[in-house]
């Protein structure tokens, strides 16, 4: 008999030599996989050679009967296992008579069910036991509402399923091993509270048994067993790790103190600890290339494979990492008594959505550890609730905490800033398939500060970080550094300064940074900004042969994609146009940005009118309706910007689109479109250059469409408005053409076609009324 000295009688346990301890709780209808796991352990003990102990059962003996205070579920499972094997083996009534001695005291219905069950011996077949029992005429209706009875029915079905493949001979062996008084295969220890000098009330306060173990309690017991068995299997010549003893101590002390701060609204931190444990374990799986899948739902099986696996050195490395991280986090946040304390720690490194001097904006909750404990392993639709980029950032924080050669606070802020920039620019590179390399490189970079370590991240962004560091080093200006960091922390840039020239005088860079910040401070609408940007030039980027990306009147993400792009055709034009706008805004003044932007647009339009050069850029600058497509995408069958354009509401042709010129005409004419015309088209079959007619709302007949030379008009009652058409120069086939000229390959109207068509439409609608 082996024993350890207890700190308290309730902590003592004893077991037979060779038997293993099982802390798994017995099943309930909600236990699912855990229920079958427990029963499977019992089945293996009965059909194999190993013995198993179910730990202590506490209670008292009265009038020759043992009345347990806890262990009800374990004892019930054993009772049902006895009943099943007795029925399966068709043992005599005399041999199974002892089963009748097991009963329930608290519920009459449970007591009656057990009494009835002990007297019957059904013939088992492929039908589930629960179905057979509930079909019997003597099955009381009250039993269907008794949770204890319903739990027992679930267990009986599980037992039946587990023994389905066990033959009759093996079942007889299992019955013998189960009922043997000399060498039983399943045992538990009785511990009398009276002998221990404890009252029922004191025991309940101390132990909180009598209800099923929580998922966390179950996991903790299982993991303790994993560590214990691993240590027991180490060669006698090898120094013991002591991890089992350390875990049992720390999980209820130091680590409990750490995680308690992260507890949820239920004043319980169990789930939070399990998510943190899963995070650390997944990092270990990735970094060591272990044969397990990160974020596997079966955390217990994963933990056993990683921290109790057969490869000793690999397993020890995994255990080292787990204990190192938990100990490091506990030491770092030992000062914290509230979540506000930990928030404050993270806010010395990070800011959430706005620039704050001395920190790095990460565009989300700054307390990465709290976010991990709340959401790691969960999903939001198809996405991870705790994303891979945030996983890398938290990994970097932990590496900073646990490394022996910890960087200074200034160094870690600088490294976190560069790392943030690189991570946010590496959307295409951050993939599960190469996550091991990404994690290793982050670790190397946090310790060394050498950007060359980030080999698997976006190469262009790493090179930009090197260039920015050289720019700052060459100038050593506090103002330059603050201007650059403020730019990097802008939501539309997120660390990427591809749109800014770093080979300029520091004063030029600073003034452009100020202009950008003033323009995109959130006080001016995107619609006004896009107008002024178009006035400065064609800033579009080609995202496909016939697709051109402009800014959106409402979506920041579209602007961000424009500003952080590096390889799209047209990126250089975007950069040159933005630079021209920033310089113009600086020259005009930053006091009233809206007035400045308006003046830039008006100056361009005034020059176009004076020279009578009306091209597509003029029309898009002049008329807000032509910039109203939410996606900012224009599609042209001629593969160039001009008069053949589809303005997209969404990103694909299978969504709604419209003709920007027709929309501008109807808006300028002040025609209520819902009353007279429909202009949106649904591109389920693609688009055709000559079929984008606006339609009469009343009969869906064609009314107005754009042509290369102008517009074409169709009227179902042309005779009534022929005079109007003639007066506006509309020819016989309904064409309203504009005189044009071509300069350097660009077609210019000599008059504003939108004004011409709007005047005509206004009169036609008036005539129709």
């Amino acid at each position: 008999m082996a024993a350890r000295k207890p700190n308290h009688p309730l902590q003592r346990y004893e077991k037979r030599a060779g038997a293993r301890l099982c802390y798994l709780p017995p099943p309930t209808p909600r236990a699912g996989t855990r229920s079958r796991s427990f029963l499977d352990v019992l089945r293996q003990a009965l059909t194999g050679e190993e013995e198993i102990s179910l730990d202590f059962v506490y209670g008292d003996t009265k009038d020759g009967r043992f009345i347990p205070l806890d262990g009800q579920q374990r004892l019930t499972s054993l009772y049902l296992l006895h009943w099943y094997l007795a029925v399966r083996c068709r043992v005599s009534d005399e041999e199974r008579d002892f089963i009748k001695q097991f009963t329930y005291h608290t519920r009459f219905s449970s007591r009656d069910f057990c009494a009835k069950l002990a007297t019957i011996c059904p013939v088992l077949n492929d039908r589930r036991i629960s179905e057979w029992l509930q079909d019997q005429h003597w099955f009381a209706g009250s039993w269907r509402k008794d949770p204890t009875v319903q739990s027992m029915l679930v267990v009986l079905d599980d037992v039946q399923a587990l023994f389905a493949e066990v033959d009759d001979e093996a079942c007889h062996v299992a019955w013998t091993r189960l009922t043997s008084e000399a060498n039983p295969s399943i045992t538990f220890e009785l511990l009398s509270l009276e002998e221990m000098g404890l009252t029922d009330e004191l025991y309940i306060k101390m132990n909180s048994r009598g209800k099923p173990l929580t998922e966390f309690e179950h996991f903790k017991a299982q993991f303790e067993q994993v560590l214990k068995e691993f240590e027991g299997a180490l060669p006698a010549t090898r120094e013991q790790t002591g991890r089992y003893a350390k875990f049992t101590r720390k999980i209820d002390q130091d680590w409990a103190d750490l995680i308690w701060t992260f507890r949820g609204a239920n004043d319980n931190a169990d789930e939070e600890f399990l998510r943190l444990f899963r995070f650390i374990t997944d990092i270990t799986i990735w970094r060591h290339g272990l044969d397990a899948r990160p974020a596997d739902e079966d955390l217990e099986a994963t933990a056993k494979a990683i921290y109790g696996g057969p490869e000793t050195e690999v397993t020890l490395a995994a255990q080292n990492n787990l204990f190192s991280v938990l100990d490091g986090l506990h030491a770092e946040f030992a000062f914290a008594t509230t979540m506000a304390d930990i928030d404050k720690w993270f806010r010395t490194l990070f800011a959430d959505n706005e620039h704050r001097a001395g920190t790095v904006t990460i565009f989300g909750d700054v307390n990465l550890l709290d976010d991990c404990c709340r959401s790691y392993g969960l999903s939001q639709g198809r996405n991870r609730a705790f994303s891979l980029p945030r996983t890398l950032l938290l990994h970097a924080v932990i590496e900073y905490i646990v490394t022996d050669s910890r960087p200074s606070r200034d160094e870690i802020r600088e490294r976190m800033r560069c790392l943030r920039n690189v991570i946010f620019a590496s959307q295409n590179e951050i993939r599960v398939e190469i996550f091991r390399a990404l994690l290793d490189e982050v670790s190397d970079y946090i310790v060394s500060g050498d950007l060359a370590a980030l080999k698997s991240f976006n190469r262009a962004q790493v090179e930009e970080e090197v260039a920015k560091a050289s720019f700052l080093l060459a100038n050593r200006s506090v103002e330059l550094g603050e201007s650059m960091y403020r730019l990097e922390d802008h939501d539309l840039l997120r660390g990427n300064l591809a749109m800014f020239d770093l080979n300029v005088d520091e004063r030029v860079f600073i003034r452009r940074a100020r202009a950008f910040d003033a323009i995109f401070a959130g006080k001016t609408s995107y619609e006004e900004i896009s107008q002024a940007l178009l006035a400065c030039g064609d800033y579009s980027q080609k995202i496909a042969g016939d697709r051109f990306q402009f800014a959106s009147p409402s979506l920041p993400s579209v602007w961000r994609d424009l500003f952080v792009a590096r390889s799209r055709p047209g990126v250089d034009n975007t950069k040159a146009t933005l630079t021209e706008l920033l310089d113009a805004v600086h020259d005009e003044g930053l006091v009233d940005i809206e007035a400045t932007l308006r003046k830039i647009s008006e100056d361009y339009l005034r020059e176009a009118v004076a020279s009578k050069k009306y091209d597509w850029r003029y029309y898009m600058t002049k008329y807000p309706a032509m910039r109203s497509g939410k996606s900012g995408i224009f599609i042209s069958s001629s593969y160039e910007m001009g008069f053949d354009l589809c303005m997209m509401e969404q990103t694909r042709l299978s969504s709604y689109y419209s003709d920007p010129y027709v929309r501008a005409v109807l808006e300028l004419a002040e025609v209520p479109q819902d009353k007279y015309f429909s202009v949106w088209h649904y591109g389920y079959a693609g688009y055709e250059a000559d079929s984008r007619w606006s339609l009469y709302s009343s009969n869906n007949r064609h009314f107005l469409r754009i042509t290369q030379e102008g517009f074409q008009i169709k009227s179902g009652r042309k005779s009534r408005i022929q005079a109007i058409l003639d007066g506006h120069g509309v020819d016989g086939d309904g064409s309203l053409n504009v005189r044009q000229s071509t300069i350097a390959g660009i077609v210019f109207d000599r008059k504003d076609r939108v004004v011409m068509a709007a005047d005509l439409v206004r009169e036609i609608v008036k005539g129709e009324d």
Side-chain angles (χ1 to χ4, degrees):
M1 185 78 72
R4 83 177 169 187
K5 287 187 176 182
N7 295 322
H8 185 280
L10 288 179
Q11 294 177 317
R12 184 178 61 211
Y13 74 93
E14 296 180 341
K15 66 183 183 70
R16 302 176 189 275
R20 61 192 177 90
L21 205 60
C22 177
Y23 291 90
L24 287 168
T28 69
R30 295 168 294 184
T33 302
R34 189 188 308 167
S35 159
R36 290 185 291 276
S37 176
F38 172 72
L39 293 173
D40 190 54
V41 169
L42 300 184
R43 180 183 63 83
Q44 292 177 34
L46 294 174
T47 58
E49 299 295 328
E50 196 171 18
E51 296 178 357
I52 184 172
S53 172
L54 301 185
D55 201 7
F56 283 110
V57 174
Y58 302 88
D60 279 313
T61 303
K62 296 181 181 179
D63 300 326
R65 288 178 176 269
F66 179 74
I67 302 173
L69 185 60
D70 76 338
Q72 172 182 317
Q73 293 180 338
R74 284 173 288 164
L75 295 175
T76 300
S77 296
L78 284 176
Y79 161 70
L80 295 174
L81 189 58
H82 278 81
W83 180 87
Y84 172 85
L85 287 175
V87 170
R88 174 77 182 270
C89 297
R90 313 301 292 178
V91 301
S92 66
D93 290 343
E94 187 177 29
E95 190 177 0
R96 56 174 276 179
D97 189 67
F98 70 90
I99 296 177
K100 297 177 182 178
Q101 298 178 39
F102 180 93
T103 187
Y104 272 80
H105 180 71
T106 54
R107 288 196 185 97
F108 290 107
S109 56
S110 303
R111 183 191 314 167
D112 292 342
F113 176 78
C114 290
K116 182 64 178 179
L117 195 65
T119 64
I120 64 172
C121 188
V123 176
L124 300 180
N125 50 33
D126 293 336
R127 192 179 185 191
R128 288 195 303 171
I129 294 176
S130 63
E131 293 179 357
W132 185 90
L133 289 172
Q134 293 179 87
D135 277 353
Q136 305 309 304
H137 68 277
W138 43 259
F139 192 92
S142 62
W143 295 348
R144 301 182 190 277
K145 299 179 181 180
D146 187 324
T148 300
V149 174
Q150 292 302 308
S151 296
M152 286 193 281
L153 292 176
V154 171
V155 174
L156 284 172
D157 286 343
D158 287 342
V159 171
Q160 181 184 27
L162 283 170
F163 279 84
E165 302 300 324
V166 179
D167 60 32
D168 291 341
E169 181 179 352
C171 281
H172 278 89
V173 172
W175 170 258
T176 301
R177 286 173 58 78
L178 180 63
T179 58
S180 171
E181 293 186 7
N183 294 297
S185 58
I186 301 175
T187 62
F188 58 86
E189 305 290 341
L190 298 181
L191 193 56
S192 171
L193 296 181
E194 183 177 359
E195 293 177 3
M196 296 171 62
L198 296 176
T199 64
D200 291 3
E201 180 181 3
L202 179 59
Y203 170 76
I204 291 171
K205 287 181 179 179
M206 294 173 63
N207 196 3
S208 180
R209 279 279 185 73
K211 61 181 180 180
L213 295 180
T214 65
E215 180 182 359
F216 171 73
E217 292 167 335
H218 175 81
F219 169 81
K220 183 172 69 170
Q222 279 285 75
F223 193 66
E224 287 175 356
Q225 190 68 14
V226 167
L227 296 176
K228 184 177 177 64
E229 291 179 357
F230 177 80
E231 288 186 1
L234 287 175
T237 57
R238 177 135 197 168
E239 181 181 355
Q240 293 294 303
T241 65
R243 293 276 163 67
Y244 166 69
K246 182 177 180 180
F247 181 85
T248 56
R249 183 180 72 256
K250 297 231 171 192
I251 192 64
D252 290 325
Q253 297 178 23
D254 293 352
W255 300 341
D257 291 342
L258 163 69
I259 209 66
W260 178 247
T261 311
F262 298 91
R263 65 191 182 276
N266 60 353
D267 253 359
N268 185 297
D270 292 356
E271 292 182 358
E272 286 74 13
F273 178 84
L274 290 177
R275 293 194 186 106
L276 178 59
F277 183 94
R278 183 184 294 275
F279 171 85
I280 299 169
T281 301
D282 285 354
I283 298 297
T284 299
I285 292 171
W286 272 314
R287 295 197 69 184
H288 291 274
L290 300 178
D291 187 18
R293 184 167 61 90
D296 194 311
E297 291 183 4
D298 192 346
L299 183 59
E300 292 170 8
T302 300
K304 183 174 182 179
I306 302 306
Y307 301 108
E311 297 184 30
T312 302
E313 297 306 322
V314 174
T315 301
L316 287 173
Q319 291 181 7
N320 286 339
N321 182 68
L322 174 67
F323 281 71
S324 173
V325 171
L326 290 174
D327 283 344
L329 290 173
H330 172 256
E332 189 70 23
F333 298 112
F335 71 93
T337 57
T338 66
M339 183 59 71
D341 295 331
I342 299 179
D343 284 343
K344 185 177 180 181
W345 187 95
F346 275 94
R347 289 188 182 280
T348 63
L349 278 179
F350 303 122
D352 45 17
N353 293 302
E354 295 182 349
H355 171 74
R356 183 159 49 85
T359 64
V360 182
T361 305
I362 57 175
F363 309 99
D365 292 343
V366 297
N367 192 334
L368 292 165
L369 188 58
D370 179 45
D371 191 13
C372 173
C373 290
R374 285 185 290 106
S375 61
Y376 188 79
L378 303 180
S379 298
Q380 292 178 340
R382 295 183 178 181
N383 300 321
R384 298 168 182 259
F386 194 78
S387 66
L388 291 179
R390 289 178 72 78
T391 297
L392 290 171
L393 285 173
L394 179 55
H395 173 62
V397 171
I398 291 175
E399 286 294 295
Y400 162 70
I401 288 174
V402 303
T403 185
D404 293 331
S405 53
R406 179 182 286 203
S408 68
R409 292 299 283 184
D410 287 340
E411 287 175 327
I412 193 59
R413 287 191 185 98
E414 179 184 337
R415 293 175 194 181
M416 284 294 182
R417 173 168 292 279
C418 290
L419 184 62
R420 185 280 312 266
N421 297 347
V422 172
I423 287 175
F424 276 72
S426 301
Q427 291 183 344
N428 295 329
E429 288 80 6
I430 296 178
R431 306 187 306 275
V432 171
E433 299 79 39
I434 63 168
F435 215 62
R436 177 180 183 179
L438 298 174
L439 289 166
D440 288 344
E441 291 168 19
V442 167
S443 297
D444 291 344
Y445 175 65
I446 288 300
V447 174
S448 69
D450 185 0
L451 283 163
L454 303 176
K455 298 184 292 292
S456 300
F457 290 86
N458 184 279
R459 194 74 241 144
Q461 187 63 43
V462 174
E463 292 172 357
E464 180 185 294
E465 296 309 308
V466 174
K468 286 187 289 193
S470 298
F471 187 36
L472 292 174
L473 185 62
N475 292 278
R476 297 184 180 275
S477 165
V478 174
E479 186 179 9
L480 174 63
E482 177 60 18
S483 296
M484 181 178 292
Y485 296 158
R486 181 180 289 275
L487 269 183
E488 290 180 334
D489 287 345
H490 198 286
D491 184 49
L492 297 184
L493 301 177
R494 299 194 174 190
N496 184 322
L497 301 188
M499 290 293 111
F500 291 83
D501 190 352
L502 300 179
N503 296 310
V504 294
D505 183 86
E506 67 169 296
R507 290 169 297 180
V508 174
F509 182 90
I510 291 171
R511 79 186 190 204
R512 288 174 179 170
R514 288 176 178 170
F516 185 92
D517 192 54
I519 294 170
F520 293 99
K523 299 178 181 179
T524 308
S525 70
Y526 285 142
E527 194 279 327
E528 291 177 289
I529 299 172
S530 65
Q531 181 185 36
L533 193 57
L534 264 171
C536 291
D538 175 9
Y539 66 88
S540 66
Q541 297 170 9
K542 209 166 189 178
I543 55 177
D546 59 350
R547 287 165 172 76
F548 298 83
Q549 180 71 67
F550 287 81
S552 167
S554 58
L555 300 179
S557 59
V558 176
W559 287 87
R560 187 181 306 121
D561 287 345
L562 279 171
F563 290 157
V564 304
R566 296 183 188 275
S567 57
R568 289 177 181 172
V571 165
D572 291 341
N573 290 339
T574 308
K575 181 176 181 178
T577 304
L578 177 63
T579 300
E580 183 175 336
L581 175 65
L582 297 178
D583 289 343
V585 166
H586 176 269
D587 292 342
E588 294 291 342
L590 307 180
V591 177
D592 188 340
I593 291 297
E594 291 184 358
T596 296
L597 294 175
R598 194 160 48 246
K599 182 177 184 303
I600 292 171
S601 299
E602 289 172 352
D603 287 349
Y604 163 74
L605 294 173
R606 188 180 304 109
E607 182 179 343
V609 171
S611 61
K612 296 184 178 181
K613 293 180 179 178
Y614 306 95
D615 64 348
W616 66 266
R617 187 162 69 91
Y618 162 83
Y619 289 118
M620 284 184 63
T621 305
K622 173 73 174 178
Y623 300 106
M626 293 189 65
R627 306 188 301 274
S628 62
K630 188 167 63 175
S631 72
I633 295 174
F634 291 82
I635 301 180
S636 169
S637 63
S638 63
Y639 297 87
E640 60 183 17
M641 291 296 296
F643 300 112
D644 164 34
L645 298 175
C646 283
M647 181 171 64
M648 307 303 299
E649 185 68 2
Q650 303 296 328
T651 59
R652 293 183 291 184
L653 272 168
S654 58
S655 61
Y656 282 98
Y657 66 86
S658 64
D659 190 300
Y661 292 95
V662 172
R663 289 183 66 84
V665 168
L666 297 178
E667 183 173 293
L668 183 61
E670 298 182 334
V671 176
Q673 295 175 28
D674 56 343
K675 179 179 179 180
Y676 292 100
F677 308 109
S678 58
V679 296
W680 282 106
H681 307 273
Y682 190 78
Y684 58 90
Y687 76 100
E688 297 294 337
D690 59 356
S691 64
R692 293 191 305 278
W693 290 89
S694 66
L695 306 175
Y696 280 103
S697 297
S698 59
N699 55 20
N700 280 341
R701 290 182 177 177
H702 291 174
F703 172 64
L704 176 70
R705 76 177 182 96
I706 188 78
T707 66
Q708 184 66 24
E709 296 79 17
F711 291 94
Q712 188 175 9
I713 306 288
K714 284 190 178 181
S715 175
R717 291 169 286 180
K718 188 180 295 186
S719 59
R720 295 181 54 187
I721 59 172
Q722 188 60 50
I724 297 175
L725 298 178
D726 293 341
H728 284 265
V730 177
D731 62 21
D733 66 354
S735 294
L736 176 65
N737 294 332
V738 184
R739 188 163 62 90
Q740 297 176 322
S741 61
T742 301
I743 304 173
I746 301 175
V747 177
F748 293 92
D749 289 341
R750 305 300 289 176
K751 293 183 65 174
D752 187 328
R753 66 168 65 195
V754 172
V755 172
M756 293 171 58
D759 290 342
L760 173 59
V761 169
R762 196 179 296 113
E763 287 195 48
I764 290 175
V765 170
K766 185 177 179 181
E768 290 289 322
D769 290 340

